[in-house]
Structures are given as C-alpha cells and as structure tokens.
Amino acid sequence: MSYFTKYLKFISLVLLLGFALPASNMSAQVITATIRGKINDSQGGGLPNAKISARRIDTNATSAIVSGSLGQYYLPSLPAGKYEVTVEASGFGTIRRSIELFVGSDLTIDFTLQVGTVETKVEVSGDISLLETTTAEVSQTLRKDQIDNLPTVNRDFSSLALLAPGVSPGVGGNGASLAINGQRGYQNNVYIDGSSNQWQYYGRQASTFSQDWIQEFQVMTNSYSAEFGTASGGILNVITRSGSNDWHARAYLFYRAKALDSPPFSGAFTNNDPSKPIFLTKDEVADYTQRRWGGYVGGPIIRDKLFFFAGYEDLDRGSSDQLAISDYWKGLGFKSVLPTKTTDHPFLVRGDYNVTSNNRLSMRYDRTIQKSIDEGGPYTVESGRDTFGGPVWNVVANLTSTLNNTSFNEFRFGYMSNMPPIVCNLSGTGGIGNLELGPPGTFSEQLYPTLQTGCPIFTGTEGEQNLTLHDNYAFVRGHHQVKFGGELRRNTLNDNITNFHDGYWEFAQDLQFNLADPNSYPYFFIGNVGPGKFKAPIWNYDLFVQDTWQIRSGLTLNLGLRYDVDRSVTAGNQFIDAKNQAIIDQYGGTAPLQKTNVDYNNFSPRLGFAWTPTSDHKTTVRGAFGLFYDQNHGNFNAIYIINTLLSNGLNVVNCNSPITNPYWNPADTATSRTQCRSWFAQNFPLFPDLSVISHPTQGIDTLDPNLQVPFTTQYTAGVSHEFIPGLVVSADFIHSRGSGLEFFDRNELLQPDGSVESIDPRFTTISELRNTGYVHYTALQIDTQYRKKAANFGLAYTLSKTNSDLVSGSVFGSNPTNPFNLSQDIGPDDTDQRHNLVFNGAYDFPLGFQLSGIAVYRSSRPWSVTTNENPTDAAFPDRPAPKNSRRGDSQKTVDFRIGKTFRFKERFQASVFWEMYNAFNWTSYTTYDTLLESTTFGLPNAAADPRRQQLGLRFDF
C-alpha cells in the first residue's frame, strides 16, 4: 500500500474519531431525495426565516423547514415522487413550483422572492435541470417509465443496470451478475428500500422482486458517499412502489414458447469451417414454455395518513436439457433429453404511515419461494441432478424524522432469513441426511468424460440469517450539511451441508465400472468424514461521516469518512483449538491451524468536488478519490469449517499424482497407478479402505490468519453539460484498482528437480486462502440522456481496459496456474472489453402505440489457450500462451417492444405487447474450444441466445 494511501487512512481515523464517536447512531442507505439551495430577495441577498415546504402530491405528506441566517435551506429525506414546493416569507410574495424527485436525487433549487404580501402567489414553470451540482458521484437512475416500458426477457429489473456506462455482464459462474468498472459481481451490493438484498454466501441477490413492483433505482458505479459500504464494485439502490391517496392496480401476463424462438447454434461447424455454423432444427430444440403472471394493488387505508401496496407474481418455466453424453451412454439406456422446471412465487406487502407531519414510517414484508427443479450440466443425467431453492423472506422498517429546521434522523431495521435446500434426485434428500440412508459413498458423485451421475458434492441447506440496524443523523451548520451514523449487522451462517461427504470419483474414459475390467476403474477420489451441520453468528459494524460543504456558490466539496469492521472471517475460530488437538493426538507434531484475526484497518476516505463554473448552472465539473471495501463472503468460512474444522478427514487421492498416490514409486509409475486404482475398485462406490495404507491422504483447507477485506481505490474526473432542457451529456475518466482479491495457495515446497512436496508431511495438501489478486480498470465513459414527455433515450459508451492476475472471477476464489510464479496469470481480465455501446429509448405515438428498445454492441472478450501436454512432468506446467491472448466474438443484439394501449374511461387501460430479443438473429459466439490438442481448437462451442419472442398483456386500473 502506498504512503499516500496510508496517510489518507490516518487522516480518516483522526477525523472519524472527531466527528463520529460522540454519536451512538447507526447508518442507512439513501432511499430518499434531497433538495437544497438558497432563498434570495430581489437584490440577491440571502433571505433568512423563509418557510420552505414540500408537499408530496399523491399522499399530501408535507415536510417544512425555514431558511438559515444566510438564506440557505436543506430539506432531505423526501420520498421519491412528484412535489409542490412552496416558499413564503413575511413581506414577500409566495412562490410555488412543481418538481419530480428520484431516489438518491440531490437537487439545488434557488428561489428569489419579490416584495409583496404572502397572498401574492407566483407559479414558477419550466423544467428543473437534470444536473446534480453538489456531488461527484457517478451514477444513473432508471426511472419508472423505463422499468415499465423497456423490454427485458426475464423481467429482471437489475438487467436494466446494463444500460449504464461502465456496466457489463459479469464473469465467474456465480449466476447472472454485473461487472461494474471491471470488478467482480460478488463485490456489488443491492439495497432495496435501504436494506441489503444480498445473499452474503454467494454475493448475489437473494429475494425475487418483480420488475412491476420497482418504482426506480440508481446504478452507482463510482465515488458514492461514505454512508454506502460493504461493496467495492458498485451499488444498486432500489425503491419499491408504495400506496397513495389514489387507488391503483395492475394485472399482467407474459408468455414465451419454443415456437416463438429461432433454433440455437449447435456448437459445431460443417467440416470445422467457422463460416459454416450448424444450427439445430426445430425438432432438435428442447421443448420450452414460460408463463409469468402477477399483479399488484395499492391505495389508502386512511386518506392522507396510512397507505398500502401488495404484489404477487407466479413464474412457471418448463424446458428440457439436451445432454451431450456420448453414444456409449445412450446405448446403456441413459436419456439424452431431460425435462427441467423453474418456479417462483414471490409476494410483497408494504405499508406507509404518515405518523405526524415530521415523522414517516414504512414497513415491508416479502417472501420468495423459488425452485430450480432437475438442474444440472450438459453431462448430468437424471440420477445426478438436484432441486435447488426454497423460501427467502425479509422484514424491513424505516422511520424518517424531521427533528427541527436543521436536524434530521433516519432509523432502519432489516431481517432476512434465507434457507434454500439442495435436494439430490438420487437420494431424495440432501446434506447429512444422505449419510443416514447408507454408508459414505452410497450416493457418491461419479464424473466420466461425458457423463455425471450421483449426488452433487455439495447438498443440503446453505442458509443464513441477517439482522441489520441502521441509523443516521443529519444537521446543517452554515455552509455544511453533515450526516453521520453507522450500521450494526448480525450475519449468521446456518448450514447443514455435505461437501464431499458422499464421495467424489473421476474416471479417465467413458466406460461403466466393472470390477472385472481394470480399464473401468476410477483414478481420482475425494471423500470427507465428519459432521456438516453448524451455526455461526457474527457481529459486524461500521461508522461514517459525510460532509457536503458548499464553499461558495457553485463549488461544493464532498468529504466522507467510513470505518468498517468485518468480523465474519472469525467464523470457525471457536473450533480451532479442538481441531488442532485432534491433529496432534492423531499425527503428533505442532498445531497447524491458527485463528483468523479481524482486520481493524478498514478506513475509507471519500474526497470529491463539484463545480458549476457558469451562472446558468448548465455545466458541472467533478472529480473524486476514495477507498471502497467489500465484505468477506461466508462461503470461505463454511468450506473451512466443513472440510477441516469439523472434518475427521478430507481425503484426496489422485492415482496420477506423486504427492497423493499412496502407492507411488518413481521407479515404476505405471505399477503405482495400477495399484492405486485397484485399491479404489475394492470398495467402489464406497470410500476406499484407508486402514491398509500408511501414506497420508488427508488434506486441509485453511485461511490466512491475517486475511483482509478486498477493496478498490477509485479515481474519477468528469464533466456534464445540459445542452437543452432534458438533454444532458456527461463524460468521465474512471480508474478503479481492485486489491486483495482472494486466491488459494497450496503451501507446497518447490524442489530443485521441479517437483513439489507438501509443506507439512502429515497432509497431502494445505490449501490456504490469501489476499493477493488484483483487477485494474481504466475507462472513458460517455453518457447521453434525453427526457421528454413523449420521448426519452439514453446512449452509453465505454472505452475501457481491464487487467488482472486472476484465473477465475468466482466468489470461491482463484487457483493460480503456478503458485510459485504468479506473473503467469498477469494479463487481460476475463471482463476486458474495449468498446461497450448501449442505446435505449421509448417513444409514444398517437393512438396509443409505443415503440421501445435496447440496442447493444460489446467488443470481444479474451480467452486463454489450454493444453494437456506436460513433456517435463512439471508440477505446474507453463501456459502454452500468455493469459487471455486470444479474442472471441463481439456481442451485438437489438431488442424491441411494440405496444398498443386501449383506454376505457379515465382510469382503466389495457396494453398488449410484442417483444423481440436479438431481433436480427445475429449469432454472437460466447465460448471457445481452448484445448490446443483438440481438432476443434479455436472454434466457438457456444453462442448467445438466438432470436426470442415474448407476448405480454397488461391491465392498469
């Protein structure tokens, strides 16, 4: 870490102690909007004691303050919506102005009062500038009309975040994710109504929120304020819809089917000619239907006082997987086409209560029951598949208070319970329940070159419960608007899982096991023995202070300081003493495991400025620097606890490895392999008999005792200009340096002859998680937004470069190509794309017709060459070519929706939609055959989805 960074952290500590320690408050995320500015008289002087009130039109909730001694005012904590702002002062005429506020908006609006009586009213018209002139944050807001009208094939609101510059599809095999400024998807966070919707274990969204329930959301990509934490990538700041004085309801249906889609790429080419791709015929395409219906209703319980909103959605998706198993397995009766099913039944209930004119309370309960039934990969037959998913529920409450003209408070409570089971088809259960049905190995996973069967290595319930308490307090002092507070979180890992407890076998060829045929014996085994059920609660907390300092008219400094304490790495410390003693009792020697220490050094300075150099406030120049910490994800600790701390032996045997083959004889390697495989065969599929060997076969997983929290250092400089009302163009230079990403060190010793040995002869491997990885991202991001009543469009362009020293983007860490030479993995990151161009727009035509669409061009991503050749029998052979030295195909698509609305009376309407995705049916290849020895090396083996169509029907009341 540079001296400059250490200095900033020291300054952060001093200032944080000065500002934050007197408070016992806790932080919250911004789910409201702010207006600020100055009240002037006709001579331009500041006008004190003027009353400013903002009335939310749909609920009549009113917030009011008076201006300060310099005429300045600050009115935060306003829920997003349409407002009437009124300014009045004794001896002056009254001004009224209509405005619309969006989530996270921070608008500067100055008023000039003329001499007159209070009864003299002036209605101010004209558009409010879209520019935010007091913040250096780089973000984009997706509004209700975009969420309602833009085509999204899976009705996932978060996919609309891809419209923002700097955002592209994520990598790492952790489900659908977003790469924000080149960082990993699990480094982002999603806040819904101020409470995190992140499944901490995987770093992805936990609950399903129907796109029709979302009012709007911010995509925050750089330089967000200090009250936002536990994310070193980006943040989605989401608010759900709420009730109002007017009744409103919606019912909708979306339908997809195989007959509406074009046949996909088969993964092959005629004569391996890349200009002659082979596409499946209609008959070869697996069956597919999708029905999604739902609705919501909202309105008043007590007019102007108490409101409700409720929504429900039902998804039923039926499909089939076309397996890639070989003809050998088909001849043995294994099916090559298997049905799959996805169901989801989320619902939500929300209430909003105007307790008094100065206090507002909102509460939300939601529940998701999502299941992926008979899921598996392209080689996974019916007996190897599982069902994943189950109930997730949340309770969130927010209390917002205006204490006086210059003091404001927000309190928030959140609780999430997430207990999704993984149930194996073969056993009908999962987790340790499998072991009650037979001895270890009864349901073992068996992996052949083109077939996978048995229970997955990971089954059971990987659950967690998360309790959060937030509070922040804001006040105004002169030209300073200061907010400080903190957050207290109780994250509980609640697992009942197996991880290799059922056994795992690999075979060298497609040949069903036969004790009479040595060629059919497996060559690789992993087996775990011991309990897999535990519960580990951990308390984490943070503090922050944020000062918006308006030095003078047109120049604002954003000074933020944040301190995070993430104690989640200590989950498992309670088991270490007992485990060390068990190892010493069994093997002798010293204790191999150490307790993991808490990183108390996570100080995050956030420094930025915003300058409006012209009197018309049409131009903003901004710049910022900051540190942004991620959070540790519980998957590392869960694996550590299951594989090591609670395990009575994680045994890893590879008959081809001189380290883990207990029969290895360097003078006769062929016989060594034969003896090892014969030993396997005696008990297969049950665990091999370890009592007949003396060579250690046990490996352990562990954590670096000084494991730290990954973070990014972010820099930005940019300018925005409003050319005409509603048209804003922004350009930003972005540099983001992700540091401390996790990778696994095998803790082996390199011998002079190039072979390796375990650092501890009691164990075959000691795999330790450490912080070494980095991701560096540099970009020019240009964003154009145009908003008018009948038309709106956005155009985002990103020119970027991303480098890293990581092999994988997975939340489970990266395994280096050569742990003794990490430089082999330096090169373009998997997310590296030079050009990203995204257009979105919608236009309302006469007679109720509407056209909306999204067009995307993304240049090619890189891929790495692999090889099976190892002529020197090196433990870690060199790459055959530099990391990610090849480039794939560019990604391009045009999606559109054509709609027609039929109106019945004043408040009833029906809309029909026809949506087409990849309308021009462009073939964009996504993955390639990377194996140098393959006859199809360098050819694509998968492509993005072909043309798809969706029909929709919606009723609004």
Side-chain angles (χ1 to χ4, degrees):
M1 185 177 297
S2 69
Y3 173 79
F4 178 63
T5 302
K6 290 181 179 178
Y7 174 75
L8 284 173
K9 285 191 173 186
F10 172 74
I11 295 298
S12 299
L13 174 61
V14 173
L15 293 176
L16 190 60
L17 290 173
F19 279 103
L21 288 184
S24 61
N25 300 299
M26 312 177 126
S27 79
Q29 284 26 275
V30 176
I31 59 172
T32 54
T34 296
I35 59 173
R36 66 177 85 217
K38 186 179 181 183
I39 312 301
N40 297 312
D41 59 25
S42 58
Q43 304 301 313
L47 191 62
N49 299 317
K51 181 181 178 181
I52 304 98
S53 59
R55 181 179 67 89
R56 188 178 176 188
I57 293 173
D58 59 359
T59 65
N60 277 329
T62 301
S63 298
I65 58 169
V66 298
S67 59
S69 60
L70 303 175
Q72 80 281 10
Y73 75 92
Y74 173 65
L75 191 53
S77 305
L78 299 173
K82 294 181 179 180
Y83 284 82
E84 179 185 74
V85 179
T86 302
V87 183
E88 54 189 1
S90 178
F92 292 85
T94 299
I95 290 181
R96 286 200 180 100
R97 184 164 197 168
S98 296
I99 63 173
E100 185 172 6
L101 298 177
F102 302 96
V103 59
S105 292
D106 193 333
L107 297 184
T108 299
I109 309 174
D110 296 335
F111 295 91
T112 299
L113 300 187
Q114 303 295 327
V115 175
T117 64
V118 174
E119 289 74 20
T120 304
K121 295 180 173 58
V122 178
E123 300 289 338
V124 179
S125 60
D127 295 311
I128 295 291
S129 173
L130 296 176
L131 283 178
E132 294 191 4
T133 58
T134 61
T135 178
E137 175 184 286
V138 181
S139 64
Q140 184 178 122
T141 299
L142 279 301
R143 305 183 183 186
K144 184 162 62 175
D145 60 331
Q146 293 173 285
I147 295 171
D148 269 350
N149 299 327
L150 290 175
T152 53
V153 68
N154 290 317
R155 305 295 297 160
D156 176 12
F157 74 89
S158 64
S159 66
L160 293 173
L162 293 165
L163 303 180
V167 184
S168 60
V171 299
N174 188 34
S177 66
L178 303 171
I180 298 181
N181 290 343
Q183 305 306 311
R184 300 298 183 240
Y186 62 83
Q187 295 175 280
N188 305 324
N189 210 331
V190 179
Y191 290 96
I192 298 182
D193 297 325
S195 187
S196 175
N197 188 42
Q198 188 183 64
W199 187 354
Q200 190 200 30
Y201 193 97
Y202 286 110
R204 68 183 191 221
Q205 288 201 67
S207 296
T208 300
F209 285 82
S210 165
Q211 187 165 319
D212 293 79
W213 304 344
I214 304 302
Q215 179 170 325
E216 57 197 54
F217 67 97
Q218 276 183 301
V219 185
M220 308 168 69
T221 60
N222 197 282
S223 303
Y224 35 89
S225 71
E227 58 190 304
F228 287 96
T230 64
S232 57
I235 286 176
L236 302 190
N237 186 25
V238 186
I239 58 172
T240 57
R241 300 189 187 218
S242 58
S244 68
N245 279 327
D246 293 324
W247 287 91
H248 54 282
R250 171 177 292 177
Y252 56 86
L253 170 67
F254 290 90
Y255 178 76
R256 291 182 56 205
K258 167 185 170 179
L260 300 176
D261 297 347
S262 297
F265 173 57
S266 69
F269 297 84
T270 301
N271 298 324
N272 287 340
D273 184 344
S275 67
K276 299 177 180 179
I278 301 173
F279 295 87
L280 298 179
T281 66
K282 279 285 187 179
D283 292 337
E284 292 174 323
V285 176
D287 289 334
Y288 182 89
T289 57
Q290 176 177 292
R291 172 191 49 78
R292 185 191 302 268
W293 64 270
Y296 65 72
V297 61
I301 298 176
I302 302 175
R303 190 172 180 82
D304 292 345
K305 197 74 173 177
L306 182 61
F307 314 93
F308 84 98
F309 177 91
Y312 175 80
E313 183 171 282
D314 186 282
L315 170 67
D316 191 322
R317 179 189 299 133
S319 184
S320 298
D321 281 351
Q322 183 82 41
L323 303 190
I325 61 176
S326 67
D327 291 338
Y328 170 80
W329 298 112
K330 295 175 185 177
L332 293 178
F334 288 97
K335 298 176 182 178
S336 61
V337 178
L338 294 177
T340 65
K341 191 178 184 68
T342 301
T343 61
D344 199 0
H345 314 289
F347 70 87
L348 170 149
V349 178
R350 170 175 170 157
D352 291 87
Y353 180 38
N354 294 329
V355 184
T356 67
S357 60
N358 292 327
N359 296 278
R360 293 189 306 273
L361 174 67
S362 69
M363 297 187 68
R364 190 197 79 222
Y365 174 80
D366 63 83
R367 191 167 190 258
T368 296
I369 308 174
Q370 182 182 34
K371 289 187 177 181
S372 297
I373 302 169
D374 289 328
E375 65 175 7
Y379 301 120
T380 311
V381 295
E382 188 171 10
S383 55
R385 295 190 162 234
D386 64 84
T387 294
F388 173 69
V392 183
W393 59 269
N394 296 269
V395 176
V396 178
N398 296 278
L399 177 63
T400 304
S401 302
T402 299
L403 305 179
N404 55 48
N405 288 324
T406 59
S407 301
F408 313 89
N409 195 81
E410 294 176 280
F411 172 79
R412 182 167 300 116
F413 164 88
Y415 184 81
M416 172 191 287
S417 175
N418 185 8
M419 300 291 290
I422 305 174
V423 177
C424 169
N425 280 6
L426 189 62
S427 65
T429 184
I432 301 303
N434 279 357
L435 304 181
E436 298 173 355
L437 302 178
T442 302
F443 305 107
S444 59
E445 181 173 357
Q446 299 161 32
L447 181 64
Y448 296 84
T450 69
L451 182 136
Q452 180 177 339
T453 187
C455 287
I457 59 174
F458 198 80
T459 65
T461 301
E462 42 188 5
E464 62 185 43
Q465 285 90 31
N466 299 324
L467 169 68
T468 58
L469 298 171
H470 313 256
D471 194 89
N472 64 58
Y473 173 77
F475 64 90
V476 180
R477 292 293 184 272
H479 292 290
H480 297 267
Q481 292 97 42
V482 180
K483 181 183 285 189
F484 63 89
E487 176 176 283
L488 186 63
R489 301 183 301 277
R490 186 178 188 264
N491 304 119
T492 302
L493 290 175
N494 191 354
D495 287 6
N496 178 6
I497 55 178
T498 55
N499 195 40
F500 297 107
H501 290 73
D502 289 312
Y504 172 81
W505 301 94
E506 284 189 18
F507 296 79
Q509 56 183 313
D510 284 329
L511 190 61
Q512 191 172 42
F513 177 81
N514 180 356
L515 188 60
D517 183 1
N519 291 323
S520 70
Y521 295 173
Y523 74 92
F524 183 80
F525 169 78
I526 303 178
N528 197 354
V529 179
K533 185 176 182 179
F534 69 91
K535 193 172 186 178
I538 296 292
W539 287 96
N540 302 319
Y541 63 90
D542 64 64
L543 299 169
F544 81 90
V545 59
Q546 182 74 36
D547 182 12
T548 302
W549 179 12
Q550 294 175 297
I551 295 178
R552 58 178 177 83
S553 177
L555 180 60
T556 302
L557 294 184
N558 305 132
L559 307 175
L561 307 167
R562 183 179 178 87
Y563 178 58
D564 291 274
V565 175
D566 187 336
R567 301 179 64 255
S568 59
V569 293
T570 65
N573 277 359
Q574 67 269 35
F575 303 122
I576 286 181
D577 291 338
K579 181 62 179 179
N580 276 331
Q581 189 59 52
I583 291 173
I584 293 171
D585 292 344
Q586 183 174 3
Y587 299 110
T590 60
L593 305 174
Q594 299 181 57
K595 293 183 178 180
T596 309
N597 301 312
V598 178
D599 180 7
Y600 288 106
N601 193 37
N602 297 341
F603 293 95
S604 307
R606 314 275 173 94
L607 312 174
F609 73 91
W611 175 43
T612 52
T614 59
S615 59
D616 62 3
H617 291 235
K618 298 294 185 182
T619 302
T620 299
V621 179
R622 59 184 168 272
F625 161 85
L627 297 183
F628 299 79
Y629 280 89
D630 190 18
Q631 59 180 320
N632 285 305
H633 298 280
N635 57 323
F636 297 121
N637 294 82
I639 292 172
Y640 181 28
I641 292 170
I642 295 298
N643 284 3
T644 299
L645 299 180
L646 297 182
S647 174
N648 296 322
L650 176 67
N651 296 285
V652 181
V653 181
N654 185 343
C655 294
N656 298 327
S657 167
I659 297 177
T660 63
N661 182 343
Y663 296 95
W664 191 261
N665 178 2
D668 190 356
T669 59
T671 301
S672 302
R673 293 184 175 95
T674 299
Q675 289 177 319
C676 176
R677 296 176 66 185
S678 296
W679 171 54
F680 281 169
Q682 298 309 308
N683 277 17
F684 180 85
L686 305 183
F687 283 22
D689 184 2
L690 298 176
S691 66
V692 301
I693 59 171
S694 58
H695 185 282
T697 61
Q698 188 176 154
I700 58 175
D701 295 331
T702 184
L703 306 179
D704 183 342
N706 296 310
L707 191 68
Q708 298 178 339
V709 181
F711 67 95
T712 61
T713 307
Q714 298 181 6
Y715 309 82
T716 180
V719 59
S720 296
H721 182 74
E722 186 174 33
F723 287 89
I724 59 174
L727 176 62
V728 175
V729 178
S730 302
D732 292 277
F733 166 79
I734 303 290
H735 183 63
S736 181
R737 301 175 65 86
S739 304
L741 279 77
E742 293 91 352
F743 90 104
F744 286 98
D745 188 339
R746 292 163 57 108
N747 279 299
E748 293 171 324
L749 299 174
L750 183 64
Q751 304 301 311
D753 63 356
S755 63
V756 295
E757 293 181 359
S758 173
I759 199 170
D760 188 330
R762 294 174 294 180
F763 307 101
T764 56
T765 59
I766 303 177
S767 183
E768 183 176 75
L769 186 73
R770 294 183 176 178
N771 299 103
T772 302
Y774 71 82
V775 177
H776 293 170
Y777 172 90
T778 304
L780 170 66
Q781 298 176 1
I782 299 174
D783 187 38
T784 300
Q785 296 292 326
Y786 179 73
R787 295 284 179 264
K788 281 297 181 181
K789 185 174 182 181
N792 63 78
F793 74 82
L795 183 65
Y797 171 69
T798 303
L799 173 66
S800 64
K801 180 179 181 181
T802 313
N803 289 329
S804 74
D805 65 350
L806 299 174
V807 175
S808 167
S810 170
V811 69
F812 291 98
S814 180
N815 287 290
T817 302
N818 184 346
F820 301 104
N821 182 13
L822 298 181
S823 64
Q824 283 203 25
D825 296 328
I826 294 176
D829 187 63
D830 290 346
T831 64
D832 184 44
Q833 286 178 298
R834 290 292 179 269
H835 304 281
N836 285 269
L837 182 66
V838 182
F839 170 85
N840 76 90
Y843 188 83
D844 293 325
F845 292 92
L847 303 178
F849 287 95
Q850 185 189 67
L851 174 65
S852 62
I854 300 172
V856 177
Y857 171 81
R858 303 186 192 275
S859 59
S860 59
R861 279 182 167 172
W863 55 274
S864 294
V865 179
T866 60
T867 182
N868 288 331
E869 296 296 328
N870 185 10
T872 62
D873 288 326
F876 301 101
D878 292 337
R879 288 178 174 270
K883 170 191 166 184
N884 281 338
S885 57
R886 302 292 182 102
R887 288 278 167 176
D889 193 13
S890 60
Q891 305 297 301
K892 53 186 180 294
T893 185
V894 173
D895 307 333
F896 69 79
R897 171 196 280 187
I898 297 175
K900 174 69 171 76
T901 298
F902 302 90
R903 299 188 181 278
F904 308 96
K905 299 183 179 181
E906 182 180 353
R907 299 191 57 193
F908 295 84
Q909 65 182 40
S911 302
V912 292
F913 310 115
W914 171 41
E915 298 176 346
M916 187 175 289
Y917 300 88
N918 192 8
F920 299 106
N921 204 27
W922 287 320
T923 301
S924 298
Y925 300 116
T926 54
T927 61
Y928 290 76
D929 185 346
T930 65
L931 185 62
L932 193 60
E933 295 78 34
S934 172
T935 57
T936 58
F937 168 72
L939 291 177
N941 52 26
D945 289 321
R947 181 191 296 118
R948 294 168 292 169
Q949 299 182 73
Q950 183 165 251
L951 304 178
L953 175 64
R954 186 169 74 196
F955 296 94
D956 287 287
F957 310 94

